[in-house]
Amino acid sequence: MSANASANSFQALVRLLRYARGYRRRIVAATTCSVINKIFDIAPEILIGVAIDVVVNQEHSFVARIGFTTPQEQIVVLAVLTFFIWAGESIFEYLYKILWRNLAQRLQADMRLDTYEHAQRLDMAYFESKSSGQLVATMNDDVNQLERFLDGGANSLIQVGVTVVAVGAVFFVISPLIALLAFTPIPLIIWGAFFFQRKAGPLYADVREKVGDLASRLSNNLSGIATIKSFTSEAREAERLRSVSEAYVEANRRAIQVSSAFIPVIRMAILAGFLATFTVGGMLALRGDLNVGAYGVLVFLTQRLLWPLTGLAEVIDLFERAMASTRRILDLLAVPVTVKDNEGKPLAEPVRGEVSFDAVSFRYAASGVGVESVSLHVPAGNTLALVGATGSGKSTLMKLLLRFYDPQAGRVCIDGQPIGEVSLASLRQAIGLVSQDVYLFEGSIRDNIAYGRPEASEAEVIEAARTAEAWEFIQALPQGLDTAVGERGVRLSGGQRQRLSLARALLKDPPILVLDEATSAVDNETEAAIQRSLAKIGHGRTVIMIAHRLSTIVHADEIVVIDGGRVAEQGTHAGLLEKGGRYAAQWRVQTGAMEESEALG
């Protein structure tokens, strides 16, 4: 398991580098500045040793050998070098911070957009199997976690490597013996780093999962706040959230416990290397086998070499969190899209609106329900009504028409063209959907009506609102079309939301209009208003209605009863009543209920 965790982190890094191949120039530039900055950062310790050599050996110092004979000249030269080294370090620190931080911001912004755009292309089946909280956590928190690593951790990792190589080279030039002693702890430090990384990897993967669970719980509770309040379940939901939150805290606690143990262990290894350099180097200098200035360089560089390695704990902590997040992000990007888009092949214009289902079969993988060998034909401009029990397959047919799913057998055609052979954009632009579960976006009434045609004029927006019988209540609002609807339209009544949904579909002016139980959750007044609207807009347009209230479909050109995923009956309202089958029985139940209600009234 530990080996797998290490391999998984490495694979995630490789996948990230593949994804970021368009940023290679920026990565190389940032890496180069980090390397140069660290070389300048190490140089002052060498200059200190050289300065000690000047003070001790004066005319016989190292600097004297390159042409500066007097100690005064040598000090001036060292001062000038120090100035340029510090200036160079400052310049390249500025550059690497600018480059890494801008890279982090650009990469995280592009990655978030890529994941969102890919998620929009995914099949509806994916969204039905994943919680919105998990997806939001991936696109937001996981992307931010990667950005935090690139913002500081990547530079730290590079500079630790540069320190080991550069300081090691100086050590071996001055004294191979002391170099061996100073570098003795490094294998232990590196082994410890990978050991803790292997331990921390699965723990941080668990942390990321818990973040998703927490985001999902918060999202669901806030969306269902009215239900929570109505059932006085605030305390129970707070306890559930506390349970998920504590699971996140516990996952973090386990990860922190492992990562926090790294520094104390590595500190002792560092102390061993420093004492070896300090003691053995001092003895060699006292015997005259090692230049005093060189001894000073070695002592200072030992600290410069070993102490930054303690930072590996934080770097590995950031790295593991980032790689756990990277895996989730790239796994989302790798989810295949099975409903393929035939871009560049639009429906033939003009779209007349003839719809046919030819021996269509489809079953949901999770439940096994769906439709079986359904064949229907709707001539252009006609109205088809689908009725049947809940779960009989009515809405499944509409999802197949919109290509939210592809049929497992048979085909769906519009104007004789199989919809699987045309672009999704042209297909869905030809269809207006008004569903039972109306979704309004946060914004104004105007924005929501014009959602399908943002370029529409105000006159066109108002005309659509009039046709949907929504203009009267819109005018009564203090800000009219500019009234904010609130999140998911919470500031409006159910009937008002439904009328705006119909206006939105009408402004799109599609040749095919789909009403998926659009009147099942509205009052009688709204239902009557929608029926009047449909009477106006049905002419010259193909309308497919799914309805439970049979009174809303009596004027349909054809009514189809779906039962158990198959066509049980079809015909006109009058013809089906004469048959005395399922439709007639349901009609008697509903009209009887209406008469009983009126009698009780």
Side-chain angles (χ1 to χ4, degrees):
M1 181 176 177
S2 295
N4 286 339
S6 180
N8 287 340
S9 294
F10 178 73
Q11 288 169 3
L13 179 60
V14 171
R15 291 173 67 192
L16 176 62
L17 291 174
R18 282 202 204 106
Y19 171 83
R21 58 184 174 273
Y23 305 85
R24 281 177 183 168
R25 289 187 179 180
R26 299 186 193 187
I27 293 171
V28 170
T31 301
T32 301
C33 290
S34 293
V35 170
I36 295 173
N37 168 261
K38 179 47 65 175
I39 291 171
F40 276 127
D41 183 48
I42 293 169
E45 274 72 13
I46 299 174
L47 290 180
I48 290 172
V50 174
I52 293 172
D53 181 51
V54 167
V55 172
V56 173
N57 295 314
Q58 298 187 17
E59 289 84 358
H60 304 290
S61 69
F62 170 76
V63 179
R65 295 177 208 161
I66 58 177
F68 300 96
T69 54
T70 68
Q72 290 78 12
E73 287 179 335
Q74 296 171 29
I75 293 296
V76 170
V77 168
L78 291 178
V80 172
L81 280 173
T82 300
F83 172 80
F84 281 108
I85 286 169
W86 279 69
E89 181 187 357
S90 299
I91 290 169
F92 282 97
E93 181 175 0
Y94 169 78
L95 290 175
Y96 84 65
K97 284 184 176 179
I98 287 289
L99 289 168
W100 279 117
R101 289 176 179 176
N102 285 338
L103 173 65
Q105 292 302 315
R106 185 71 268 150
L107 185 59
Q108 63 96 12
D110 290 347
M111 185 170 270
R112 181 178 290 113
L113 185 60
D114 285 348
T115 52
Y116 174 73
E117 289 181 341
H118 181 71
Q120 286 190 129
R121 292 191 295 271
L122 291 176
D123 311 332
M124 290 302 294
Y126 180 82
F127 295 97
E128 290 168 1
S129 64
K130 296 287 183 181
S131 72
S132 59
Q134 287 282 358
L135 289 172
V136 170
T138 299
M139 294 181 198
N140 190 44
D141 195 68
D142 283 327
V143 172
N144 287 340
Q145 190 66 54
L146 177 59
E147 181 259 335
R148 282 191 284 271
F149 170 70
L150 292 174
D151 198 33
N155 170 72
S156 298
L157 204 58
I158 291 167
Q159 291 200 331
V160 166
V162 172
T163 299
V164 171
V165 173
V167 172
V170 174
F171 264 60
F172 278 99
V173 167
I174 294 175
S175 173
L177 173 62
I178 296 179
L180 276 175
L181 294 172
F183 273 72
T184 298
I186 289 183
L188 176 62
I189 293 170
I190 294 174
W191 174 84
F194 280 102
F195 173 80
F196 282 101
Q197 177 260 324
R198 287 195 298 269
K199 291 288 185 183
L203 297 178
Y204 281 123
D206 187 44
V207 168
R208 303 319 310 153
E209 287 298 320
K210 294 298 187 291
V211 167
D213 293 343
L214 187 57
S216 182
R217 172 60 63 182
L218 284 168
S219 175
N220 288 337
N221 282 16
L222 292 175
S223 297
I225 192 66
T227 303
I228 292 172
K229 286 178 175 293
S230 68
F231 283 90
T232 62
S233 298
E234 292 91 341
R236 189 193 332 160
E237 292 303 329
E239 186 56 39
R240 287 183 179 179
L241 181 63
R242 182 180 293 107
S243 175
V244 177
S245 181
E246 286 300 320
Y248 171 59
V249 170
E250 178 59 22
N252 256 312
R253 186 195 64 77
R254 290 194 297 268
I256 291 168
Q257 187 175 28
V258 169
S259 64
S260 297
F262 180 75
I263 290 180
V265 172
I266 299 309
R267 189 184 295 272
M268 299 311 296
I270 290 169
L271 177 62
F274 177 75
L275 288 177
T277 304
F278 183 82
T279 305
V280 176
M283 295 298 181
L284 291 175
L286 288 173
R287 285 191 346 220
D289 295 335
L290 182 66
N291 184 290
V292 174
Y295 174 60
V297 170
L298 293 176
V299 170
F300 284 117
L301 284 183
T302 301
Q303 288 186 312
R304 179 62 70 182
L305 168 69
L306 298 176
W307 282 115
L309 293 175
T310 60
L312 276 177
E314 292 182 9
V315 175
I316 287 172
D317 186 77
L318 277 173
F319 177 76
E320 279 304 327
R321 288 177 184 265
M323 290 307 101
S325 292
T326 297
R327 282 192 295 274
R328 284 163 54 94
I329 296 165
L330 297 180
D331 285 348
L332 173 56
L333 286 170
V335 174
V337 178
T338 58
V339 177
K340 303 297 183 183
D341 189 0
N342 292 298
E343 297 181 35
K345 294 185 65 177
L347 278 168
E349 294 286 349
V351 179
R352 293 180 291 108
E354 178 189 1
V355 177
S356 61
F357 295 84
D358 301 330
V360 169
S361 296
F362 175 82
R363 296 284 176 184
Y364 296 100
S367 63
V369 300
V371 293
E372 188 70 32
S373 300
V374 171
S375 294
L376 297 171
H377 178 254
V378 189
N382 277 23
T383 297
L384 170 72
L386 299 174
V387 298
T390 300
S392 60
K394 306 182 301 298
S395 294
T396 298
L397 290 173
M398 297 305 96
K399 291 176 181 179
L400 293 173
L401 176 61
L402 284 156
R403 279 202 78 201
F404 291 161
Y405 300 91
D406 279 333
Q408 292 150 358
R411 65 179 190 169
V412 182
C413 298
I414 292 179
D415 295 345
Q417 286 183 271
I419 63 174
E421 297 177 4
V422 301
S423 69
L424 289 173
S426 67
L427 168 68
R428 291 169 184 169
Q429 283 168 2
I431 303 171
L433 174 65
V434 182
S435 64
Q436 176 184 5
D437 183 18
V438 177
Y439 189 95
L440 297 183
F441 295 90
E442 192 167 7
S444 67
I445 288 177
R446 183 198 312 275
D447 294 338
N448 275 279
I449 294 177
Y451 186 74
R453 281 182 57 204
E455 76 285 356
S457 67
E458 181 162 332
E460 290 174 313
V461 171
I462 292 173
E463 181 58 30
R466 288 187 192 279
T467 305
E469 299 209 12
W471 183 238
E472 184 178 345
F473 86 78
I474 293 173
Q475 277 187 306
L477 296 170
Q479 293 176 288
L481 285 171
D482 295 319
T483 301
V485 301
E487 188 175 7
R488 296 181 65 92
V490 294
R491 296 180 185 174
L492 303 177
S493 70
Q496 289 172 335
R497 290 197 296 270
Q498 195 64 269
R499 294 188 206 188
L500 290 186
S501 177
L502 182 57
R504 180 166 61 189
L506 294 178
L507 184 61
K508 186 179 177 183
D509 194 25
I512 302 168
L513 183 64
V514 174
L515 303 171
D516 189 355
E517 300 187 30
T519 63
S520 63
V522 298
D523 54 38
N524 291 334
E525 180 185 350
T526 302
E527 181 185 346
I530 291 175
Q531 289 304 311
R532 289 193 297 269
S533 300
L534 290 176
K536 296 177 187 175
I537 65 176
H539 299 293
R541 193 189 311 268
T542 302
V543 179
I544 300 178
M545 305 173 62
I546 296 175
H548 276 127
R549 296 183 185 180
L550 302 186
S551 59
T552 63
I553 60 169
V554 293
H555 300 296
D557 296 300
E558 186 169 30
I559 299 169
V560 175
V561 179
I562 305 293
D563 183 54
R566 296 178 179 272
V567 175
E569 292 180 332
Q570 61 187 112
T572 62
H573 172 71
L576 290 173
L577 288 181
E578 285 181 12
K579 285 183 180 179
R582 297 171 187 268
Y583 181 83
Q586 186 64 25
W587 175 259
R588 287 194 297 272
V589 169
Q590 290 196 11
T591 54
M594 288 164 56
E595 291 165 3
E596 180 183 354
S597 174
E598 290 168 1
L600 290 173

